[in-house]
Amino acid sequence: MHHEQHVHDTTIIGGGPAGLFATFYGGMRGMDIHLIESLPELGGQLTALYPEKYIYDVAGFPNVKAKTLVKQLEEQALAFNPSVSLDTTVSQVEKLEEKLFQITTTRGVYFSKTVIITGGVGAFQPQRLPIDNALEYEGLHLHYSVTDIETFRDKKVLISGGGDSAVDWALTLEAIAQEVTLVHRREKFRAHEQSIEQLNASSVTLTTPYVISSLSGENGELKQAEITDKDKTEGKTLDIDSLIVSHGFKSNLGPIQEWGLELQKKSIVVNSKMETNIEGIYAAGDITTHEGKVNLIALGFGEGPIAINHAKAYIDPKSKVQPKHSTSLF
């Protein structure tokens, strides 16, 4: 049956930055690409979690909003007309024979000569605030991600967290919010040094080491947050309009764990060719681990083409792993 159906050269699972650039690069190498993304939109975490956030470590962009970067990557990725399946979750990848994989999804079964997994950190959920009534404020007043910074214009905003995301949101919202308070359970923040310098020079009110102990409001509107120090000996009541909780995300590889891939913790083990332990399956981006691995978007941009070039050579041994420079192709 599968021989009568279309067989793609490569199926890329994951439509985040690494997957989008790998899709473009596969098209540039003349490959028939199928891109599958479990979310309704392309962009992965950049779209789902922080579209309004600025990113500073992408080559060629001194700073770029996540949603702007995704738009550019999407335009680039679609240049060679790949097949794209959105809102589609892959449940199983099965090797039927040499250079033939069956990919079972929530929207049908597909076939591919090779597979490249660029699933980021897998399925992710926010670390929610462990307060009984927090759920009633979610969405309107309590946020785990920010899709529109205008939501916070002229508001009293409380941000909880001590990592890059919390610090970045504090700095971003400083210019439009009435006031911004950043509360963290430790004395020191875990963000980039440059960001912490900016934070210390900003008008953001820093409250450490404190945690949010309770929330209160009227008619479903959040009005106040009670915070206490880590020893629970001192408390403060803050008048707020909005709360952003940036305590990180829990990731889950989901069905990927059942595909027979070699895993190390929650990452797929690859070699220098981005090959997994299953011939014909490659991986790139944050979902991978290898010696010297650093989780940066920039590294994912490099790993994607490595996977594509070796997948190309696997399909057609006569093709070159090292292609021509892009300037000679356009």
Side-chain angles (χ1 to χ4, degrees):
M1 180 69 177
H2 54 262
H3 291 292
E4 300 173 4
Q5 299 189 33
H6 183 78
V7 180
H8 297 279
D9 288 334
T10 291
T11 294
I12 297 174
I13 302 173
L20 286 169
F21 191 63
T23 297
F24 161 73
Y25 203 86
M28 196 165 68
R29 296 246 30 209
M31 300 175 74
D32 176 5
I33 303 293
H34 183 198
L35 175 62
I36 300 177
E37 168 56 50
S38 62
L39 297 173
E41 297 178 273
L42 293 171
Q45 291 187 66
L46 299 190
T47 297
L49 303 184
Y50 42 84
E52 292 282 355
K53 185 177 175 181
Y54 278 99
I55 299 172
Y56 301 93
D57 52 8
V58 176
F61 291 92
N63 61 72
V64 58
K65 274 191 178 181
K67 66 180 182 181
T68 303
L69 179 61
V70 169
K71 183 179 180 181
Q72 297 286 80
L73 285 168
E74 186 175 343
E75 180 181 340
Q76 187 181 42
L78 301 181
F80 295 99
N81 299 312
S83 299
V84 178
S85 298
L86 298 176
D87 201 15
T88 303
T89 300
V90 177
S91 59
Q92 186 176 11
V93 173
E94 181 182 0
K95 190 171 187 177
L96 302 180
E97 58 187 63
E98 189 70 13
K99 301 178 185 177
L100 183 62
F101 292 88
Q102 177 176 290
I103 301 163
T104 304
T105 78
T106 51
R107 293 184 179 271
V109 177
Y110 304 96
F111 296 90
S112 188
K113 297 174 184 176
T114 60
V115 174
I116 300 176
I117 303 170
T118 57
V121 294
F124 47 88
Q125 292 292 330
Q127 297 275 13
R128 284 183 154 75
L129 193 66
I131 294 176
D132 291 339
N133 66 336
L135 186 61
E136 67 181 88
Y137 299 114
E138 279 191 22
L140 188 60
H141 299 280
L142 193 165
H143 309 267
Y144 292 99
S145 61
V146 177
T147 56
D148 183 5
I149 61 174
E150 287 298 318
T151 302
F152 306 96
R153 182 170 292 279
D154 300 324
K155 299 289 181 64
K156 296 177 181 178
V157 182
L158 174 64
I159 300 173
S160 178
D164 284 306
S165 190
V167 172
D168 288 348
W169 281 129
L171 293 172
T172 298
L173 296 178
E174 178 194 15
I176 69 166
Q178 179 181 336
E179 61 183 55
V180 177
T181 301
L182 180 58
V183 58
H184 181 39
R185 60 179 178 169
R186 296 189 177 94
E187 292 284 1
K188 295 183 178 180
F189 292 92
R190 305 183 314 279
H192 289 299
E193 293 88 345
Q194 181 64 33
S195 298
I196 294 174
E197 286 183 19
Q198 288 181 265
L199 182 66
N200 289 329
S202 73
S203 63
V204 175
T205 301
L206 305 181
T207 308
T208 61
Y210 278 80
V211 297
I212 299 173
S213 54
S214 67
L215 301 174
S216 59
E218 298 176 0
N219 301 320
E221 291 191 13
L222 182 60
K223 295 293 185 180
Q224 292 181 325
E226 183 79 21
I227 63 173
T228 56
D229 68 333
K230 63 179 182 178
D231 297 323
K232 298 182 179 180
T233 58
E234 182 181 337
K236 298 179 182 180
T237 300
L238 304 177
D239 293 327
I240 62 172
D241 300 308
S242 298
L243 169 62
I244 299 172
V245 177
S246 186
H247 294 174
F249 289 81
K250 298 179 289 186
S251 63
N252 184 354
L253 291 181
I256 292 177
Q257 299 173 96
E258 311 300 325
W259 298 350
L261 297 163
E262 182 184 353
L263 303 175
Q264 185 176 312
K265 295 183 179 179
K266 295 181 180 180
S267 300
I268 299 172
V269 177
V270 296
N271 61 17
S272 61
K273 298 178 181 179
M274 299 300 114
E275 295 172 323
T276 69
N277 60 304
I278 300 177
E279 189 176 30
I281 298 184
Y282 304 79
D286 286 352
I287 202 168
T288 67
T289 184
H290 54 78
E291 187 177 358
K293 174 71 177 186
V294 178
N295 285 333
L296 289 173
I297 291 176
L299 193 64
F301 288 157
E303 291 177 349
I306 292 173
I308 284 289
N309 286 334
H310 287 284
K312 173 79 172 179
Y314 172 72
I315 295 169
D316 178 13
K318 294 181 180 179
S319 67
K320 295 181 178 180
V321 172
Q322 178 62 55
K324 294 180 180 179
H325 293 293
S326 60
T327 50
S328 65
L329 297 176
F330 292 96

